[in-house]
Amino acid sequence: GNQYDSVRFQNGYSEGDLTFSSCGGGGLVMAARASRIAIEVPFTLDGQSYTASAAINAAFNYTYLFPGNFGTWSIDDLNTGTHAPGGGWAFSFTPCP
């Protein structure tokens, strides 16, 4: 009879830490590492809404391919800054003109 929401990962783009553009040039492969990922599990108990927060502490490795002459990426490193839930990178993308 209970319905549960999904686990939430806060991995959306929030602020740019660095920018990479492949417009007019070649591509690039970059790697990132993380040692944790923050998660939230929303639930209801006795009619009240709650959120249980936790972190998965483990080694995570990410590889990103930025194709040549494709666009500009503003990158939010989710391991640094004020919004740091762990995990890889989040992006804001603009195609080449």
Side-chain angles (χ1 to χ4, degrees):
N2 293 330
Q3 181 178 353
Y4 297 97
D5 291 333
S6 299
V7 173
R8 296 185 297 209
F9 296 89
Q10 302 295 334
N11 63 345
Y13 180 86
S14 175
E15 57 193 37
D17 295 317
L18 61 115
T19 301
F20 172 74
S21 177
S22 67
C23 295
L28 180 67
V29 175
M30 297 178 77
R33 294 181 180 193
S35 59
R36 71 175 189 81
I37 295 178
I39 61 170
E40 295 178 342
V41 179
F43 65 96
T44 302
L45 179 64
D46 295 330
Q48 295 288 325
S49 295
Y50 298 95
T51 300
S53 300
I56 299 171
N57 295 310
F60 300 92
N61 296 300
Y62 304 89
T63 302
Y64 301 96
L65 169 63
F66 301 94
N69 202 29
F70 195 73
T72 300
W73 292 264
S74 184
I75 302 167
D76 185 355
D77 183 345
L78 300 178
N79 290 303
T80 62
T82 56
H83 177 256
W89 293 346
F91 304 92
S92 175
F93 174 74
T94 304
C96 294

